[in-house]
Amino acid sequence: MFDPRRFGRLAAVQWTEHRREYLWFFGIGIAVHACSWFVLTEAGMRPELYDLGEQFFVYWLGYAVTALIFAGRQVSMLARPESALTWLMRPASGFEKFVLMLLMVMVAYPLLYALAFQVCNLPATALAVAADNAREAAPSERYMGPYLPFATAVRPAEEMGNFLIVNTLQAVVLAGLLYFRGLSWLKTLVAVFVLVVIALPLLVSVTDANPRTLIPGLVDVPGGFAVDAWRWTLWIGVPGLFWTSVYGFLRDRELT
Amino acid sequence: MTGQDHTGPGSHFTTGNAGVIEIEGLRFGCGRKALYEGFDLRVDSPGLYGLFGRNGSGKSTLLKLLAGLLFPRGGRIRVSGHEPRLRHPDFLAGVTIVPEEFHLPNLSCERFVRHHAGFYPRFDRAVLDEALATFEVDSRAPFDSMSLGSRKKAVLAFALATRTPLLLLDEPTNGLDIVERDRFRDLIRRPEQADRIVLISTHQVHDVDQAALARVDGVVYQEAIGAQAAFIATRNDDVIEPVQLELLYRALCRAPETVVATLPAKEVSHV
Amino acid sequence: MRLGSATFIAGLALVVAGIVSSAGDPWRPGKADRRLAIELGGAEVLDYGASGVNIVVIQDRVDGELAFSEGTVEDMAQSTWRMHDNALVLDVRMRDGAVEGPILKVPPTLRRLIGDKMYVYTDVVAPAMRIDATSASWKGDAESLDVHARAKAKSLCDGGFNLVSDFHFGGGVVGTLRITMEGGSINLADLSQVGEVELHVGDDVWITLGPDADETLIRRLPFDGEPAVIDDDAGLPPYDSTCTQVP
């Protein structure tokens, strides 16, 4: 089911065929980040506004948006019959193709995004610090250094929560794109909108729920082992099930 | 509608490295349109097989079913012992399909081959080089800079070089000029292709006519709702004239009931 | 049903189960009993922040349960509450170190009703802040002590966020607060000057955060029934204006 040598060959083909696409993707992402910085700092006039809080915001908002698009593009070849045929007939198991997709989405992309983010972020923070120091008034007390995810001691639990939520949504998007045939992006967006934007908040409201308590470490909730076990079950189980469904849809994908 | 089982002499041939196609009671349809209802077929000898039928009769669909790209709604398909719908890596490494319309990444043929040849254990570089030379395809040029015909020739060259036990070709000569068609027919009949089952879906009877052919072992005729498809099995030790195949084809399309019962090879010329 | 559909539906079901399980206060068995034990005579406004950020109102019982109506100036939706060990726990969300957040000042009557435990948990979004108190004062006497500490928020320090996050006045965390004298204010860290000071249940600590005086946040000392003791011999590191790591 899983042959490392064949998997390596599969990964090499993936990289060879899509590297230009990846470079374009990150290039556009960096450009958008630069524009965001320009807007956030009031059209570039006050770079000192770009403190750690803004970086945190930009980082995770950018990650949420681009990670979903990137994940969706992993199955873009299935949107057209010609490329779908090539991909499905490539001699590797469905599980190997799934693992490659999973690694791309869950490991490679977060790492590359973190690096690409700094391409724009480091100059921006340098400008921010310089602008902050150049002010006539006393320098602000805000933290102007660069934001490094999971390293700047912002809020590891919240960062992990963000990561897991985005990861879960990635699986949902992939499952939708694999399930729907024709206009799959549109149908997936509608489904995600209905689920995430309407149904779940409605459920939260009706049940007077506080889902933040479900994120381990984010909110201090007493309860001992049982509560922790339940929270970890959720945070491993939900993405796990959605990713398993991605594998299932991928394995059963037909050429239509 | 029930299909008819065809088990001609070909079913007893020694298969060598070739795959075996076994279809039993196949049911498949597109939406409400049924294409196959109880279709049976068995091919277990190497050779060049033509798949004829009118537009919409399900020829390409049958190729996709054999490749595991579509799943049967009923019945059973096995290719070389594998169930195609599972798309087991060993199965995929033993099947090459060239669709009528295909996708190629923006790579040079050389680079494409370097990365993909390893998937096919019997890949033959010499066959590839010969085919590319015959087709006059520049292997260093990126696919995007090639004409449609050149890209098709590159794909066909690669498909021939994989030497997989089963080669499925869907309208392989579409987009090729007359000279290239002849070259393709020449290449497909080379000895190194002789141990494969090559199944060609085509309207060009000449694509299969000159194979060191073949008497017609028989005809599997499938009539579904509003569509007809014919499967003509050939064997490598007899000859069938193009005109005979064409006549047969026309007869199938026009009045299938006239040939549906049996089609002994000797009677082909009378069709 | 195929694997993809089955697991997708199972994933959705697990999401729903998770949300439902987080309804109200599911983590404490018998919570309803505790709620019911809290009887309020009428609607009471707890307090307002000096910055007017949030208003927390305790209303009367509604349908047998204590209901909170959280009127908001901004960011109020971030505040949640729950019962914990027979105490009212209010989650406070702060932004940029500590500027935002509900100001909690519980009137004595309500305090008696709720019990003797109250915590304010902070949930800070931005890491940019570290708090070093630079001055402090208190008023009142030993029976009713109000401590007013002026703190300066500092950034540029790894772990500053954690400091703020831990900067609730529960479990003796207050002992990590380092307060030095500045501008003639009374120095909490130098409390040994006046001997041991006991902070009693209900005592308030006022801390001004940030360079501007209007960025005020009030923190409540732990209502754990035990007086918190602050003295100069707490083994705390000396104050370092260059922003040392906070323990």
Side-chain angles (χ1 to χ4, degrees):
Chain A
M1 194 172 187
F2 189 88
D3 181 340
R5 193 174 171 188
R6 195 168 54 216
F7 180 77
R9 192 175 294 135
L10 189 69
V13 170
Q14 175 91 358
W15 168 247
T16 304
E17 294 185 352
H18 296 280
R19 54 186 175 169
R20 288 191 185 89
E21 183 186 332
Y22 294 150
L23 290 174
W24 271 108
F25 190 88
F26 280 104
I28 293 172
I30 290 170
V32 171
H33 181 187
C35 293
S36 306
W37 173 83
F38 201 66
V39 172
L40 277 172
T41 57
E42 296 181 11
M45 300 301 289
R46 299 181 62 193
E48 70 273 16
L49 294 178
Y50 193 66
D51 63 2
L52 197 60
E54 298 298 332
Q55 294 175 55
F56 182 85
F57 172 77
V58 171
Y59 183 90
W60 286 105
L61 180 66
Y63 181 72
V65 173
T66 60
L68 294 182
I69 297 173
F70 183 85
R73 292 194 64 80
Q74 294 301 299
V75 292
S76 61
M77 64 282 178
L78 293 175
R80 292 174 57 228
E82 298 83 19
S83 52
L85 183 142
T86 303
W87 192 80
L88 291 172
M89 290 303 292
R90 190 161 289 159
S93 70
F95 184 69
E96 287 160 354
K97 292 170 183 174
F98 168 74
V99 170
L100 180 61
M101 190 177 292
L102 194 68
L103 289 177
M104 289 295 296
V105 170
M106 277 188 70
V107 179
Y109 185 74
L111 292 175
L112 291 171
Y113 176 84
L115 290 174
F117 177 80
Q118 299 302 344
V119 170
C120 182
N121 194 54
L122 288 176
T125 51
L127 283 173
V129 170
D132 194 46
N133 291 335
R135 291 198 311 173
E136 289 185 1
S140 72
E141 298 293 341
R142 286 175 304 194
Y143 183 81
M144 308 300 291
Y147 168 64
L148 302 172
F150 297 103
T152 320
V154 174
R155 182 81 181 185
E158 186 159 334
E159 290 172 308
M160 183 53 72
N162 289 344
F163 178 78
L164 288 173
I165 288 171
V166 173
N167 184 254
T168 304
L169 285 174
Q170 285 176 312
V172 171
V173 166
L174 277 172
L177 291 175
L178 287 168
Y179 179 77
F180 293 117
R181 310 289 166 83
L183 299 175
S184 54
W185 265 109
L186 183 63
K187 290 175 182 173
T188 300
L189 283 177
V190 170
V192 168
F193 182 81
V194 170
L195 274 177
V196 178
V197 182
I198 296 178
L200 294 182
L202 192 64
L203 183 66
V204 169
S205 174
V206 167
T207 59
D208 188 27
N210 178 16
R212 284 167 58 83
T213 61
L214 299 174
I215 302 176
L218 185 59
V219 177
D220 181 26
V221 174
F225 176 78
V227 170
D228 282 342
W230 172 236
R231 295 203 295 189
W232 284 110
T233 299
L234 287 172
W235 281 104
I236 294 172
V238 171
L241 283 169
F242 283 136
W243 277 109
T244 306
S245 76
V246 171
Y247 170 62
F249 288 134
L250 194 65
R251 192 190 63 176
D252 296 332
R253 177 77 180 194
E254 292 183 73
L255 188 70
T256 54
Chain B
M1 280 297 167
T2 57
Q4 296 177 9
D5 177 51
H6 165 70
T7 50
S11 58
H12 306 297
F13 291 168
T14 303
T15 58
N17 289 323
V20 177
I21 298 174
E22 299 170 279
I23 301 177
E24 295 174 3
L26 173 66
R27 281 197 301 110
F28 188 83
C30 295
R32 293 178 180 175
K33 180 184 178 185
L35 288 175
Y36 294 99
E37 284 286 344
F39 180 70
D40 299 325
L41 174 67
R42 180 177 176 86
V43 179
D44 56 6
S45 65
L48 195 58
Y49 298 88
L51 185 58
F52 300 105
R54 299 183 67 179
N55 293 331
S57 61
K59 303 186 298 298
S60 300
T61 299
L62 185 61
L63 295 185
K64 290 173 184 170
L65 285 162
L66 288 170
L69 294 167
L70 293 174
F71 302 161
R73 305 293 179 255
R76 177 170 169 267
I77 300 179
R78 292 190 80 79
V79 175
S80 300
H82 291 285
E83 195 177 343
R85 62 159 292 163
L86 299 178
R87 294 197 283 256
H88 191 279
D90 292 342
F91 164 75
L92 294 174
V95 178
T96 306
I97 181 171
V98 178
E100 189 175 6
E101 293 178 353
F102 51 87
H103 163 80
L104 284 172
N106 187 20
L107 302 172
S108 68
C109 183
E110 194 62 47
R111 197 177 183 88
F112 179 84
V113 169
R114 194 187 315 150
H115 283 92
H116 287 77
F119 285 116
Y120 301 96
R122 296 176 64 206
F123 189 86
D124 192 329
R125 178 73 203 202
V127 171
L128 176 79
D129 291 339
E130 183 190 7
L132 291 175
T134 302
F135 281 139
E136 298 174 358
V137 173
D138 180 5
S139 64
R140 292 163 302 178
F143 287 128
D144 279 9
S145 67
M146 292 183 182
S147 66
L148 177 64
S150 293
R151 279 189 283 160
K152 183 121 190 183
K153 288 184 287 186
V155 169
L156 287 171
F158 182 81
L160 293 172
T162 59
R163 298 192 60 209
T164 50
L166 179 60
L167 173 59
L168 306 170
L169 302 172
D170 193 358
E171 304 287 358
T173 55
N174 271 12
L176 302 185
D177 60 34
I178 295 174
V179 174
E180 303 299 351
R181 287 183 186 191
D182 288 342
R183 288 173 175 171
F184 167 73
R185 288 166 190 150
D186 178 54
L187 287 169
I188 199 77
R189 292 179 194 103
R190 293 290 171 88
E192 53 269 25
Q193 305 295 329
D195 61 350
R196 318 172 75 176
I197 292 177
V198 181
L199 188 54
I200 303 180
S201 165
T202 181
H203 294 288
Q204 308 292 328
V205 293
H206 294 267
D207 287 348
V208 290
D209 58 5
Q210 296 174 13
L213 286 184
R215 73 167 193 267
V216 174
D217 292 322
V219 172
V220 173
Y221 167 70
Q222 166 71 28
E223 183 180 7
I225 299 173
Q228 299 98 18
F231 184 85
I232 301 173
T234 67
R235 203 175 61 181
N236 286 349
D237 55 359
D238 289 327
V239 174
I240 184 169
E241 294 300 324
V243 64
Q244 293 174 325
L245 267 178
E246 187 152 356
L247 284 171
L248 171 63
Y249 181 41
R250 288 181 184 281
L252 284 170
C253 295
R254 188 173 57 248
E257 65 277 6
T258 61
V259 293
V260 70
T262 58
L263 194 64
K266 294 174 184 175
E267 297 179 17
V268 167
S269 58
H270 304 299
V271 173
Chain C
M1 187 180 290
R2 288 181 174 174
L3 175 68
S5 304
T7 49
F8 190 84
I9 291 170
L12 281 181
L14 198 55
V15 170
V16 172
I19 290 175
V20 171
S21 71
S22 74
D25 177 19
W27 316 105
R28 302 296 304 172
K31 59 186 173 61
D33 294 336
R34 287 194 176 85
R35 285 183 184 175
L36 290 174
I38 301 171
E39 295 286 344
L40 299 178
E44 291 200 54
V45 177
L46 291 184
D47 207 345
Y48 312 91
S51 59
V53 175
N54 290 336
I55 305 167
V56 179
V57 181
I58 294 182
Q59 292 180 330
D60 202 351
R61 290 175 58 186
V62 176
D63 295 328
E65 292 212 351
L66 179 67
F68 270 59
S69 171
E70 300 173 325
T72 180
V73 176
E74 55 179 294
D75 205 26
M76 201 58 207
Q78 303 293 344
S79 297
T80 59
W81 66 275
R82 63 182 183 274
M83 301 302 297
H84 176 202
D85 286 338
N86 207 28
L88 176 68
V89 177
L90 189 69
D91 288 332
V92 183
R93 188 178 182 89
M94 297 199 298
R95 197 177 292 282
D96 284 339
V99 176
E100 297 180 358
I103 309 304
L104 191 60
K105 186 176 182 181
V106 182
T109 51
L110 180 61
R111 192 180 308 153
R112 283 194 300 274
L113 289 170
I114 290 176
D116 58 359
K117 292 183 179 179
M118 173 166 285
Y119 301 94
V120 176
Y121 288 162
T122 59
D123 176 13
V124 182
V125 174
M129 198 58 65
R130 130 173 203 170
I131 298 173
D132 281 328
T134 55
S135 66
S137 63
W138 64 86
K139 59 185 178 183
D141 53 28
E143 296 299 320
S144 175
L145 181 65
D146 282 338
V147 180
H148 185 181
R150 169 152 297 191
K152 184 179 183 182
K154 293 186 72 68
S155 58
L156 305 170
C157 179
D158 287 341
F161 178 91
N162 290 330
L163 168 66
V164 177
S165 179
D166 293 335
F167 196 25
H168 55 78
F169 287 77
V173 179
V174 70
T176 65
L177 178 63
R178 293 176 296 148
I179 302 175
T180 59
M181 181 182 291
E182 181 177 285
S185 300
I186 299 172
N187 189 343
L188 262 187
D190 199 24
L191 287 174
S192 59
Q193 292 175 353
V194 292
E196 190 176 80
V197 174
E198 291 186 353
L199 303 180
H200 294 94
V201 171
D203 293 340
D204 290 339
V205 175
W206 300 64
I207 301 174
T208 304
L209 300 172
D212 302 323
D214 60 348
E215 294 178 353
T216 303
L217 184 73
I218 304 171
R219 290 281 176 253
R220 176 155 295 279
L221 286 171
F223 291 88
D224 56 7
E226 296 293 330
V229 178
I230 299 177
D231 63 31
D232 201 26
D233 298 320
L236 301 176
Y239 172 68
D240 181 1
S241 62
T242 59
C243 186
T244 56
Q245 182 72 34
V246 174

